[in-house]
Amino acid sequence: MKIREVISKIEKRIPLQQAEDFDNVGLLCGSWDRDVSGILICHDALENVVDEAIHKNCNLIVCFHPIIFSGLKSLTGKNYVEKAVIKAIENKVAIYAIHTAFDNDFFGVNAGICQQLGLKNLKILQPKKNDLKQLTVFVPKEYSGKVREALFSAGAGSIGFYDECSFTVNGNGTFRPKEGSDPFSGQQGVRENADEDMVSVIFEGYKQGQIVAAMKSAHPYEEVAHQIYSLDNTNHYTGLGMYGDFEEPMGETDFLKFVKEKFNLEVIRHSDFINKKIKRVGVLGGSGASGIKTAISKKCDAYLTGDVKYHDFFLAESKMMICDIGHFESEQFVTQQLFEIFSQKFSTFAISKSIEKTNPVNYFI
């Protein structure tokens, strides 16, 4: 199987279009058309991880963090990024990064944190906005089933945990073919009255090209009458962070001990105790201070994330306990999650988890 085929298959499960605009996801180096000998899943594709991939005969590294984030103006090995990239290129090892595409996935990074905590009733903390569109198309009644099937096959009509969602209204359409036309029904110069269905579906904006192409391919008309609208609706199944509830609330000290044990932590930095039970918890893997105010608005009693600055802790405002458990520590389950996804998708070559240490932060206790 080619690298191109592997990537195409995995992006149907974790679309890169889910990633944040600032991110650098996808194939960072390597040939699309090389046969895959093995895949190594890792958190950061550092030079020691590339060495590990070479040793394990894996010529595709799938990393969470992109090793190339900002632009490279030269490749001379002057820093850790260039050293890793040079070694990968010299040894024909491709590097593919998934980062915020998995952060924004409903079953991604933050779902892994929530699962570890045992939270229930999970919801996205910061759902994506301006992400949904609606397509309305007018089609002869006898062809509406065929057009609907084409739309569904192209990815339209998926809403949360439901797919093949549509709405159809029957009515009468009119059109008059002009000179130069080749009408499916009717004749030039004569107004045609047609029994038509109006079919409506909702879809994520990044699918628009493939959906419109599928619609036109299945539609019998020479000119397909359709409209596409951008919706104000929020996509509640894609976005950063999550929150959920414990079945039974616990005290603040017990909660911190519980988190420390579940995440195998050396230390937790946290805001003041506010003398309330912890029932609802918000999480955002990685650098998540941006979600503090949202977590408060969702009535979270505690919020777990990493990279919280001094002044960020003041944002708790005695309403919620903010817990900085560390950037890497909050994302520590990602490698296992990706390993399980890739193992389910591919069985014809070896898939390994990296055992190399890549967390740059150390603690002296």
Side-chain angles (χ1 to χ4, degrees):
M1 184 177 285
K2 306 288 186 184
I3 288 177
R4 181 187 305 277
E5 296 172 277
V6 170
I7 290 174
S8 175
K9 201 168 183 178
I10 206 63
E11 287 181 3
K12 291 178 181 178
R13 165 61 185 83
I14 309 170
L16 290 188
Q17 293 88 347
Q18 292 181 163
E20 296 296 303
D21 292 339
F22 66 80
D23 209 358
N24 188 34
V25 292
L27 190 64
L28 304 183
C29 70
S31 171
W32 291 93
D33 296 316
R34 186 163 289 132
D35 288 323
V36 177
S37 60
I39 299 176
L40 181 67
I41 311 291
C42 70
H43 203 270
D44 297 278
L46 305 182
E47 186 178 12
N48 60 329
V49 175
V50 178
D51 285 331
E52 182 183 11
I54 296 167
H55 176 72
K56 293 180 174 178
N57 193 33
C58 295
N59 65 347
L60 174 59
I61 295 175
V62 175
C63 55
F64 180 61
H65 289 147
I67 184 66
I68 303 173
F69 193 76
S70 27
L72 291 175
K73 294 186 177 180
S74 63
L75 275 174
T76 60
K78 62 180 175 292
N79 55 45
Y80 77 96
V81 173
E82 293 184 12
K83 287 176 182 176
V85 174
I86 287 173
K87 180 160 286 188
I89 292 173
E90 288 178 342
N91 289 276
K92 298 181 179 179
V93 175
I95 299 177
Y96 177 85
I98 209 157
H99 204 206
T100 56
F102 201 49
D103 275 313
N104 279 313
D105 195 274
F106 191 88
F107 298 101
V109 177
N110 298 294
I113 299 173
C114 291
Q115 182 179 12
Q116 191 70 13
L117 293 171
L119 298 176
K120 308 296 182 184
N121 308 317
L122 303 183
K123 296 180 180 178
I124 296 290
L125 182 68
Q126 296 177 306
K128 270 190 172 291
K129 297 179 180 179
N130 305 316
D131 186 52
L132 297 175
K133 293 188 176 184
Q134 180 178 9
L135 167 69
T136 298
V137 57
F138 300 89
V139 57
K141 185 174 181 61
E142 64 271 25
Y143 277 83
S144 63
K146 180 180 179 181
V147 171
R148 269 196 305 271
E149 289 301 320
L151 292 170
F152 295 155
S153 296
S158 293
I159 304 174
F161 300 123
Y162 297 84
D163 62 6
E164 300 190 3
C165 303
S166 69
F167 189 76
T168 303
V169 179
N170 183 248
N172 182 262
T174 67
F175 56 88
R176 185 172 66 177
K178 298 170 65 176
E179 185 178 350
S181 65
D182 183 18
F184 170 74
S185 62
Q187 55 183 313
Q188 290 183 5
V190 179
R191 182 190 300 151
E192 176 78 359
N193 288 275
D195 185 17
E196 294 183 328
D197 283 343
M198 182 180 73
V199 179
S200 294
V201 290
I202 291 175
F203 61 94
E204 293 107 337
Y206 71 85
K207 298 178 181 176
Q208 181 170 323
Q210 67 199 47
I211 287 171
V212 171
M215 174 196 70
K216 290 183 176 179
S217 178
H219 203 292
Y221 284 177
E222 184 179 24
E223 295 291 343
V224 180
H226 69 284
Q227 293 99 35
I228 295 175
Y229 309 93
S230 294
L231 302 179
D232 288 335
N233 304 48
T234 300
N235 187 347
H236 291 284
Y237 297 90
T238 305
L240 293 173
M242 267 190 163
Y243 65 97
D245 303 316
F246 286 124
E247 289 186 352
E248 296 292 335
M250 63 180 76
E252 293 165 310
T253 301
D254 289 337
F255 171 72
L256 291 175
K257 289 179 179 178
F258 174 76
V259 172
K260 192 173 182 180
E261 177 186 350
K262 285 293 183 179
F263 287 76
N264 192 28
L265 302 175
E266 301 278 0
V267 64
I268 299 176
R269 299 166 64 232
H270 64 87
S271 59
D272 289 338
F273 284 172
I274 53 178
N275 299 316
K276 67 184 295 190
K277 294 288 187 180
I278 306 298
K279 172 73 172 176
R280 175 164 293 178
V281 180
V283 307
L284 205 169
S287 300
S290 62
I292 291 174
K293 292 183 178 179
T294 305
I296 292 174
S297 73
K298 300 298 183 182
K299 309 299 182 184
C300 292
D301 304 307
Y303 181 62
L304 301 184
T305 188
D307 296 344
V308 179
K309 296 180 181 178
Y310 175 87
H311 290 284
D312 293 331
F313 284 103
F314 286 113
L315 298 176
E317 296 281 5
S318 299
K319 297 177 181 178
M320 178 182 74
M321 185 162 64
I322 299 171
C323 303
D324 185 337
I325 63 174
H327 189 122
F328 176 88
E329 289 78 6
S330 68
E331 298 172 340
Q332 64 182 280
F333 309 113
V334 168
T335 301
Q336 178 62 30
Q337 288 177 279
L338 292 176
F339 175 77
E340 291 174 3
I341 291 171
F342 274 77
S343 296
Q344 290 169 1
K345 293 286 184 182
F346 308 104
S347 59
T348 55
F349 41 77
I351 299 173
S352 305
K353 288 187 297 181
S354 175
I355 59 173
E356 292 293 319
K357 178 185 181 296
T358 60
N359 182 8
V361 181
N362 298 277
Y363 300 96
F364 181 75
I365 304 297

